[in-house]
Amino acid sequence: MIFTRRETLVLSAGAATAAFLPMQVNAAADDAIAAFTGGAEVTDGGVDLVAPEIAENGNTVPIEVSAEGAASIMLIASGNPTPGVATFNFGKLAGAHTASTRIRLAGTQDVVAIAKMADGSFKRASANVKVTIGGCGG
Amino acid sequence: MADNVKPRVKVPRSASAGESVLLKTLISHPMESGQRKDSDGNPIPRSIINRFTCDFNGENVIDATLEPAVSTNPFIEFEAVVPEAGEFVFTWYDDDGSVYTDTKAIAVS
């Protein structure tokens, strides 16, 4: 198959849009993180995020987060139409600062957990989850 | 209004004072994300549980904000310290303003 000049242009424009779209999605996730941290520096480590490597059904993906000494933990699905997933604020009587739930993932993507520690610093952990069937319906 | 909303909570019957216990909660709720469309192509309006809290004898254990990305029948598992005998109060807040509560007593042995 030989492309004409016009077809080549259309194709490359499509490829450029496709390449740009994930960046937009990640920008939304970054905005959500910035709104949570208030622009403070986020360091890696100190948070445990347990997620399956491969999720067959994106409608219910079991996720577990824990962070010793965290005041709150926010979960972000960077590839979802709306990246926010849940925020857990731990009260005075919280045992181990851990929570697990089941979430929806639109497709293969990184799940990010940001923990706000009691001293005001922020820690993060992320895990890549491969999703066979997306969970945002159609 | 979501129909047949039924909270289910699993709390151990007793614990020793100061022990950390595992609590499991589940509420049957469609958690309609607002992203889906019906067969005519019209978007189905969002209807989710947007907040969940757990308190023990008036002290907060966990306060979670939930977004549409939480699955149907939201399941939340967490731990709580039990300093004395008392009652856990679990509260779910629906988008439509409904509030569902469940209580479970725990004894200290």
Side-chain angles (χ1 to χ4, degrees), chain A residues 59 87 89 91 93 95 100-101 104, chain B residues 61 63 65 68-69 71 75 77 81:
Chain A
N59 266 316
T87 309
N89 301 299
L93 286 182
S100 56
T101 185
R104 291 180 177 133
Chain B
V61 176
D63 182 345
T65 311
S71 298
F75 162 82
E77 184 186 291
V81 175

Side-chain angles (χ1 to χ4, degrees), chain A residues 10-38:
Chain A
V10 168
L11 273 177
S12 60
T17 324
F20 185 66
L21 271 173
M23 273 178 63
Q24 272 186 326
V25 168
N26 280 330
D30 286 344
D31 285 350
I33 293 171
F36 183 66
T37 62

Side-chain angles (χ1 to χ4, degrees), chain A residues 58-61 64 77 80-96 98-105 136-138, chain B residues 20 26 30-33 35-37 56 59-81 83:
Chain A
N59 266 316
T60 52
V61 183
E64 184 179 344
N80 273 10
T82 51
V85 173
T87 309
F88 300 102
N89 301 299
F90 297 106
K92 216 173 143 189
L93 286 182
T98 174
S100 56
T101 185
R102 295 173 188 152
I103 69 171
R104 291 180 177 133
L105 295 176
C136 281
Chain B
S20 180
L26 187 136
M31 292 293 276
E32 193 57 64
S33 69
Q35 301 279 347
R36 297 198 309 152
K37 292 187 170 70
F56 181 72
E59 287 275 12
N60 183 245
V61 176
I62 197 168
D63 182 345
T65 311
L66 309 181
E67 312 262 352
V70 174
S71 298
T72 306
N73 303 340
F75 162 82
I76 300 171
E77 184 186 291
F78 54 95
E79 289 184 21
V81 175

Side-chain angles (χ1 to χ4, degrees), chain A residues 44-45 47-51 76 78 109-114 123-129:
Chain A
D44 276 330
V47 185
D48 283 333
L49 174 63
V50 182
I76 300 245
S78 56
Q109 58 181 281
D110 284 330
V111 176
V112 183
I114 311 272
K123 311 257 187 197
R124 68 175 279 160
S126 69
N128 187 266
V129 181

Side-chain angles (χ1 to χ4, degrees), chain B residues 6-7 20 26 32 34 41 48 50 53 65 69-70 75 86 88 93 95:
Chain B
K6 184 169 173 250
S20 180
L26 187 136
E32 193 57 64
I48 67 164
N50 56 42
T53 63
T65 311
V70 174
F75 162 82
F88 283 105
Y93 299 84
D95 262 355

